[in-house]
Amino acid sequence: MHEPQTDKQPAPPPAGEDARAPASTAVAPAQAALARELLQAVSVEQAVHILLAALHAHDGRSYALACTSDWPHDVRCYPAACDIQACQALAAQVIEAGRAAAGAPPPMARVLCDDRDGMAVVLMPADPGDASLGQPGSADPPADLLELGSRRLSELLATRRMRTSVEQLGRAERLQHALFAIADMAGSNLDMPTMLQGLHDIVAGLMYAENFYITLYDAEHDSVRFLYFIDTVDTEGPRLNEDIPMARLMYGGTWHLVKGGKPLMGPPERLREQVQGPLRLHGAADLDWLGVPMIRDGQVIGTVVVQSYLHADCFSDMDRALLIFVGEHILTALERKQGQEQLERHVAERTRQLAEANAILHTEVRERERSEKIQSILYRIAGLANLDDDSGHFYEQTHMAVGELINAENFYIALLSEDRRELHFPYSVDAVDKARPTRELGRGVSEYVIRSGRPLLADRVTTQRLIDQGELDPALDRGPLARHWLGVPLLLGEQVMGMVAVQSHDESVSYDERDAELLTFVSHQIANSLQRRNAAAALLQLNNELEQRVQARTRELREQISVREQVEAQLKHQVMHDPLTGLPNRLYLRDRLERAIAGLRRNPQRRYALLYLDIDRFKLFNDSLGHLAGDDVLREVSRRLSHCIREPDVVARLSGDEFAILLEDAPIPQTACKVAQRVQEALEQPMLVAGRELQTSASIGIAIGDMRYHTTDELLHDADVALYRAKSGGRSRFVLFDETLQLAALDVLEVERELRTAIAHGGFEPYFQPLVRLSDGHPIGYEALIRWHHPERGLLGPDQFLPVAEESGLIEAVDWAMYRAACAAAVPLVRDGGFITVNLSPRHFQNAEFDRQLLQLTTETGFDPARLRVEVTEGTLLGDPDAVVRILERLRAGGVEAALDDFGTGYSSLGYVHRFPLKMIKIDRSFVEPLGSDSSHRSSAVVAAVLALAHSLGLEVVAEGIETTAQRDALIAMGCVYGQGYLFGRPQPAGHWTTP
């Protein structure tokens, strides 16, 4: 390392003074001052400048000094303006001559110090041509001055040498620590990036290495790979661990290191002098560059490079030697780390292979265990067929067995009836579809599996595709469609006896082909087991019939004994029953109620219910028709009530027109509510009494038996309170004594609230059913039918909410929402001709502005009123005929025609039709259904009469409810032009009919 030089030099003597003049009188003081100055000098440079200034002051001549503490290296010449090369050459000549045994030193120079251990000082003229120093007759410098300067310079050079030794020892220690650290990293568990970062930090501790990179060379592919690259200017740099062809780096510094195999150091201009061939700079231009090759067995393995963008001559020969030495250890560390990583990769690969082999073995074991489990379950299902348990236990055990193979949380079995016209569900467990009642075969997903005879694995997309293809009817299956569904047929040979299905309402639970194959395999065993159970049941039935014959014969033998018992029973019956109606009386009912209360204490699960009835307006019947007619009414009511219950339930007449019904098994309030609904429906049917047709109804109070009732009087009291509330609420209704149970049974208010929300937020959607020309099936128009997208119950038909809308007064708002949606959606349907029809409620004809509002709606929706027709029923026409005529005539004037719907089911005569401005008559489906069969004579006569009347009045006729080709052909033969029904299409959204 070069020590810093100072630019401060002693000033020359003043002009006019003779520096060579003797100053004997001031020698001692001058030497003392010079000695003080030399002692105060802290560096060799300061002492040299002081000595040279003193010599110049003595004789006026210019001198030069060459000195070093490590001869013949690091020889420095002073002053800076001298010819350094000439001074170094002269100093070497003087030192070598003085050390030689023979020979004299050159006369122009003088050795001031030479300890033959590296420390040397030579005095010479500043001008190499001046040879006066040491010549005879020349004035030599004072010996004491030279001695004083030589001594001080020797001390400072010795200090420098010691300092240099300390620095060298420090560098050696740092280098040793660095090598130890490199060795430790090579054997550590550090990953390669972390180790390379550590190597960078180590090199940075030895020299300037802010910009540093390491590469490895692949001689086989002639490519280089950058293992590490940090650069403060070229931040992009090459991609790490990517094989780069040497052609892309041709004539660059790295390329020369690899190809030349020699270190390179210096700025670009000096590098060009060190390489063979051109030098091309890759990346940012630097001021100093140092790179060394890493060589193993004479082959270049890689390179280590440092560079500087801030300072020139930043790197020295010592840095180069140090980097070469460190590079060898870096290469060793890299080879050890690569060997370690290669070993780890080999171990990992072997571990992976062993894991794969282990996984294969585990798979084989699982397959064998699965096969054994399937076999065991099949044996269990087969064994269930031989048990005498009831069918419920058999299906439950079958469900459990299937659940051990696949996810069967939602599971059901469907079986065809003997005539193969109905589908019933003997077993069903589902989180959504709580009940699956028996139904006629239709277009359900279960029927699709039975009809196709193949397994069906479906999600919502597959289900929707089948719906679009007309294979499925979404309204047939109750509840929302499952997210994943798997069903397989139950086959006996070639005959399908039913199907078994599992389904999932959770997106995370799905089924695949393997599950389908497994369930198909299990279904064969289920079908066989069902066949065996059915055969056993048939045999049991035969045995039962035989036993019944035996018992019948036995009963005949005991008839004589039973006569006496019958007499006794008759007496008891007369005491316990009402003489007018033959129903049990209050005494009998109290006895049964006491037993029901006691039975509930023994079995809290067996709940009961009491219905307290009162005939509405019965006093009016007695007062207007007489008591005999009243008695007939009571007997007819008793008969109808008896048909509304099943054993062991009881109907009793308490007094007058008060009746009671005891339901001994009513686990939930809805059971009692359903019976109350049946009673009201039965009593609402007209009855003929005293030559008059009477309309009756009943108010019903319901009390649900639970643990709070201890006496019959308490129960009768609560039922009577509920009856009073029913009568005060408007009659012809039933009320539960407990308000919370009443709301749970019939939550009409909730439906009404949801309807209001649907009206406000557009929850209704129009579905369209085509009206076609019977000759070719071409659509001439569409009937708009309302559907409700309920947020919880899915798509609802009109029969599921319109009664509530009628009762709550919301029907008009629902209709207007429907009319607006239908006009907006039907624009594409009538773009090329045709029309749509909408159904009108009788309430609309009470609004004199209805026609104006409807025409305004067509204007707002952009719908042509000439493409709109309104459908009215015969009952609507008879409500207020004059008002209906006025509104229909104004609608016709605005372009809207009218159609008479369900013709033939009302009370109007054929001749009554001409009063109203009608365009079309729609024959009710009840007359179309018998057509094409042997019993169609009456229907054919009615249809023919309607067609003749319509043709004479210039009206169009549309036959409704056409479902078979036989019906269509019969209508065409009678001259009917237009028709409507499932044969031509079910109600669908507008997009269904506009899609090509």
Side-chain angles (χ1 to χ4, degrees):
M1 298 293 291
H2 299 286
E3 294 186 1
Q5 298 183 2
T6 179
D7 294 334
K8 185 177 180 181
Q9 298 183 4
E17 293 187 8
D18 188 359
R20 292 174 294 178
S24 57
T25 59
V27 170
Q31 289 180 349
L34 178 62
R36 284 195 299 273
E37 288 187 45
L38 289 174
L39 287 175
Q40 292 175 356
V42 295
S43 66
V44 174
E45 286 77 5
Q46 289 180 351
V48 167
H49 289 309
I50 294 171
L51 179 60
L52 291 177
L55 291 174
H56 180 75
H58 177 266
D59 54 15
R61 297 167 62 182
S62 296
Y63 291 92
L65 269 175
C67 59
T68 180
S69 60
D70 187 22
W71 183 266
H73 307 292
D74 196 22
V75 179
R76 304 184 187 183
C77 300
Y78 305 94
C82 68
D83 189 347
I84 295 177
Q85 293 184 354
C87 289
Q88 289 178 345
L90 182 58
Q93 184 179 1
V94 172
I95 293 297
E96 293 299 329
R99 290 182 180 181
M108 69 289 295
R110 175 176 296 176
V111 177
L112 298 184
C113 174
D114 182 14
D115 63 353
R116 298 181 180 272
D117 192 24
M119 187 166 59
V121 180
V122 178
L123 178 67
M124 62 191 74
D127 183 6
D130 185 3
S132 61
L133 184 62
Q135 294 293 332
S138 63
D140 292 335
D144 53 352
L145 182 60
L146 296 178
E147 177 65 24
L148 185 62
S150 173
R151 186 180 305 166
R152 183 57 181 162
L153 287 173
S154 298
E155 293 174 354
L156 292 174
L157 288 173
T159 302
R160 174 188 288 177
R161 182 166 59 188
M162 286 187 293
R163 187 181 296 114
T164 302
S165 299
V166 170
E167 292 177 354
Q168 290 177 348
L169 289 174
R171 284 196 297 271
E173 184 178 4
R174 289 196 300 273
L175 178 61
Q176 186 177 17
H177 284 306
L179 297 179
F180 283 147
I182 292 173
D184 290 341
M185 284 187 180
S188 68
N189 293 326
L190 298 175
D191 56 10
M192 183 65 78
T194 305
M195 189 193 79
L196 293 173
Q197 178 64 51
L199 293 176
H200 182 190
D201 295 339
I202 292 171
V203 174
L206 300 176
M207 65 184 70
Y208 176 79
E210 190 173 5
N211 308 293
F212 176 80
Y213 68 83
I214 301 174
T215 67
L216 286 182
Y217 174 64
D218 184 357
E220 181 179 356
H221 299 93
D222 193 28
S223 63
V224 69
R225 181 158 43 96
F226 284 81
L227 296 182
Y228 186 81
F229 185 91
I230 294 295
D231 197 291
T232 58
V233 177
D234 189 4
T235 55
E236 295 294 332
R239 292 185 180 180
L240 298 181
N241 297 310
E242 178 181 327
D243 291 331
I244 302 175
M246 288 294 290
R248 288 171 52 184
L249 305 176
M250 183 172 288
Y251 300 127
T254 304
W255 186 87
H256 281 294
L257 283 177
V258 173
K259 298 301 182 180
K262 296 180 180 179
L264 300 175
M265 183 180 71
E269 57 273 9
R270 286 177 55 190
L271 292 178
R272 288 187 175 88
E273 299 174 358
Q274 303 173 35
V275 300
Q276 296 181 355
L279 175 66
R280 296 177 183 173
L281 298 179
H282 297 281
D286 53 30
L287 297 178
D288 204 2
W289 196 86
L290 172 59
V292 299
M294 296 186 293
I295 300 175
R296 178 75 73 222
D297 298 331
Q299 300 293 327
V300 176
I301 306 301
T303 64
V304 180
V305 177
V306 293
Q307 53 189 346
S308 172
Y309 298 100
L310 302 177
H311 306 288
D313 296 328
C314 183
F315 305 111
S316 63
D317 294 338
M318 183 175 295
D319 293 333
R320 177 174 57 192
L322 184 63
L323 191 59
I324 292 172
F325 187 64
V326 171
E328 295 178 358
H329 289 77
I330 290 176
L331 178 60
T332 301
L334 290 175
E335 289 175 342
R336 292 182 61 184
K337 179 57 69 175
Q338 288 178 335
Q340 181 181 358
E341 291 182 349
Q342 184 177 3
L343 178 60
E344 291 176 354
R345 286 195 299 270
H346 179 72
V347 171
E349 177 64 20
R350 184 58 179 165
T351 302
R352 184 187 63 79
Q353 294 175 355
L354 292 174
E356 290 179 354
N358 190 34
I360 293 173
L361 290 176
H362 278 291
T363 301
E364 293 179 355
V365 171
R366 285 195 300 270
E367 286 297 326
R368 291 184 179 181
E369 291 177 348
R370 180 171 175 270
S371 299
E372 293 176 357
K373 186 175 183 179
I374 293 173
Q375 190 67 32
S376 175
I377 290 174
L378 293 178
Y379 283 143
R380 282 170 50 192
I381 295 176
L384 292 173
N386 300 322
L387 298 177
D388 294 333
D389 294 341
D390 58 9
S391 297
H393 182 263
F394 168 76
Y395 291 126
E396 182 179 354
Q397 293 299 316
T398 302
H399 180 194
M400 294 175 60
V402 173
E404 295 180 19
L405 298 176
I406 60 177
N407 187 297
E409 182 179 355
N410 304 302
F411 173 87
Y412 69 86
I413 295 176
L415 298 177
L416 289 170
S417 61
E418 292 184 1
D419 58 4
R420 306 185 68 83
R421 293 184 178 181
E422 291 184 340
L423 188 68
H424 65 97
F425 300 85
Y427 184 80
S428 175
V429 174
D430 196 281
V432 175
D433 297 332
K434 300 298 184 182
R436 297 180 185 273
T438 300
R439 66 180 185 228
E440 293 184 357
L441 289 182
R443 288 285 173 176
V445 66
S446 302
E447 289 91 331
Y448 177 81
V449 172
I450 294 174
R451 188 168 62 252
S452 64
R454 298 190 305 271
L456 175 62
L457 181 64
D459 53 14
R460 289 194 169 182
V461 175
T462 305
T463 305
Q464 188 60 46
R465 186 179 70 251
L466 293 175
I467 292 173
D468 296 339
Q469 294 173 356
E471 295 289 348
L472 299 182
D473 180 6
L476 187 59
D477 286 329
R478 303 193 311 171
L481 295 176
R483 294 184 178 274
H484 299 280
W485 193 89
L486 172 59
V488 299
L490 296 175
L491 297 173
L492 284 175
E494 299 296 330
Q495 185 76 17
V496 179
M497 63 181 299
M499 57 85 63
V500 58
V502 292
Q503 58 184 357
S504 167
H505 305 289
D506 186 354
E507 191 63 43
S508 61
V509 178
S510 60
Y511 305 102
D512 53 22
E513 294 294 341
R514 190 173 183 180
D515 295 328
E517 180 183 359
L518 185 60
L519 190 58
T520 301
F521 194 53
V522 173
S523 69
H524 296 309
Q525 190 63 51
I526 295 176
N528 292 330
S529 298
L530 286 174
Q531 184 188 31
R532 289 196 295 271
R533 288 186 64 87
N534 291 339
L539 180 60
L540 180 61
Q541 183 177 0
L542 292 175
N543 292 332
N544 290 336
E545 291 177 356
L546 179 59
E547 184 177 354
Q548 289 174 2
R549 294 193 191 98
V550 174
Q551 291 177 355
R553 182 57 178 167
T554 304
R555 284 195 299 270
E556 292 177 359
L557 296 176
R558 294 178 178 176
E559 284 180 353
Q560 294 179 356
I561 301 175
S562 66
V563 170
R564 184 180 297 274
E565 296 175 350
Q566 290 175 1
V567 172
E568 295 175 354
Q570 185 176 2
L571 293 175
K572 183 177 180 181
H573 180 273
Q574 291 176 355
V575 175
M576 304 291 286
H577 289 74
D578 174 58
L580 176 63
T581 62
L583 294 177
N585 57 16
R586 182 182 294 271
L587 183 61
Y588 183 94
L589 179 65
R590 293 180 66 88
D591 178 71
R592 293 291 295 270
L593 284 175
E594 289 175 356
R595 283 191 285 174
I597 293 172
L600 181 62
R601 292 196 183 95
R602 292 192 300 270
N603 183 9
Q605 303 299 323
R606 189 174 179 81
R607 304 181 68 183
Y608 59 92
L610 178 64
L611 280 67
Y612 210 145
L613 288 76
D614 184 275
I615 306 302
D616 296 332
R617 303 182 304 159
F618 180 76
K619 185 176 183 300
L620 178 63
F621 298 153
N622 268 342
D623 294 342
S624 59
L625 301 178
H627 289 282
L628 293 179
D631 292 343
D632 291 339
V633 171
L634 292 177
R635 280 191 286 267
E636 179 61 18
V637 168
S638 301
R639 186 186 66 82
R640 295 186 182 187
L641 292 179
S642 300
H643 285 85
C644 293
I645 65 169
R646 297 172 298 181
E647 291 291 341
D649 301 335
V650 177
V651 177
R653 182 190 177 204
L654 304 184
S655 64
D657 61 335
E658 293 183 355
F659 295 84
I661 298 177
L662 173 61
L663 303 178
E664 292 203 353
D665 187 9
I668 57 176
Q670 285 81 350
T671 303
C673 293
K674 290 181 180 179
V675 174
Q677 288 176 334
R678 286 204 302 270
V679 168
Q680 289 182 332
E681 292 172 358
L683 295 181
E684 287 173 357
Q685 297 298 322
M687 63 176 65
L688 188 61
V689 177
R692 294 191 179 185
E693 186 175 81
L694 301 181
Q695 192 82 24
T696 60
S697 63
S699 299
I700 305 174
I702 304 174
I704 305 299
D706 53 28
M707 298 300 293
R708 64 183 174 180
Y709 293 112
H710 301 283
T711 65
T712 58
D713 291 332
E714 294 174 352
L715 185 63
L716 289 169
H717 173 268
D718 288 349
D720 192 26
V721 171
L723 173 61
Y724 174 78
R725 290 168 56 191
K727 295 174 68 175
S728 63
R731 303 179 182 272
S732 187
R733 63 184 61 207
F734 63 89
V735 174
L736 286 166
F737 177 75
D738 191 342
E739 290 284 354
T740 59
L741 295 180
Q742 181 183 17
L743 292 176
L746 292 175
D747 198 0
V748 176
L749 293 177
E750 179 65 18
V751 176
E752 179 181 344
R753 184 191 65 79
E754 293 173 342
L755 275 175
R756 295 183 187 277
T757 303
I759 293 170
H761 297 88
F764 302 104
E765 180 183 8
Y767 271 45
F768 297 90
Q769 186 176 27
L771 284 70
V772 303
R773 191 166 46 239
L774 295 179
S775 59
D776 55 5
H778 179 73
I780 62 167
Y782 297 88
E783 181 180 0
L785 302 169
I786 190 171
R787 296 293 186 270
W788 180 13
H789 286 283
H790 194 279
E792 297 177 358
R793 299 165 59 191
L795 189 68
L796 302 181
D799 58 333
Q800 296 176 278
F801 60 92
L802 286 185
V804 177
E806 286 278 2
E807 181 180 351
S808 61
L810 297 174
I811 187 64
E812 291 184 74
V814 172
D815 281 347
W816 282 113
M818 170 61 183
Y819 299 158
R820 182 173 297 276
C823 289
V827 172
L829 292 178
V830 298
R831 182 177 292 115
D832 298 327
F835 56 87
I836 68 166
T837 68
V838 295
N839 293 281
L840 296 188
S841 170
R843 289 174 178 258
H844 291 297
F845 290 98
Q846 300 174 10
N847 179 11
E849 297 294 321
F850 171 74
D851 55 307
R852 186 188 61 79
Q853 295 175 1
L854 183 61
L855 293 173
Q856 178 65 27
L857 184 145
T858 61
T859 303
E860 293 173 358
T861 58
F863 191 83
D864 184 3
R867 303 295 183 184
L868 179 64
R869 295 187 183 182
V870 295
E871 293 190 19
V872 296
T873 62
E874 295 180 25
T876 302
L877 298 180
L878 299 178
D880 187 355
D882 295 333
V884 173
V885 169
R886 288 193 297 270
I887 292 176
L888 293 182
E889 286 179 345
R890 290 197 295 268
L891 286 174
R892 169 171 283 183
V896 179
E897 294 288 356
L900 182 57
D901 192 19
D902 299 334
F903 184 79
T905 60
Y907 303 99
S908 63
S909 64
L910 295 178
Y912 201 71
V913 178
H914 75 279
R915 284 195 55 190
F916 300 92
L918 301 174
K919 179 70 174 177
M920 175 189 294
I921 293 178
K922 300 181 74 173
I923 302 176
D924 186 73
R925 65 180 63 245
S926 61
F927 300 107
V928 176
E929 183 178 3
L931 296 180
S933 63
D934 297 335
S935 59
S936 64
H937 304 293
R938 293 179 178 270
S939 297
S940 299
V942 173
V943 173
V946 173
L947 290 173
L949 173 65
H951 291 161
S952 64
L953 296 177
L955 301 177
E956 299 174 355
V957 178
V958 176
E960 293 183 297
I962 303 175
E963 297 185 359
T964 65
T965 56
Q967 294 170 347
R968 180 197 61 190
D969 295 339
L971 288 167
I972 293 175
M974 285 187 286
C976 184
V977 180
Y978 306 116
Q980 179 182 359
Y982 286 170
L983 180 63
F984 310 106
R986 294 176 179 270
Q988 298 289 349
H992 174 82
W993 304 111
T994 57
T995 302

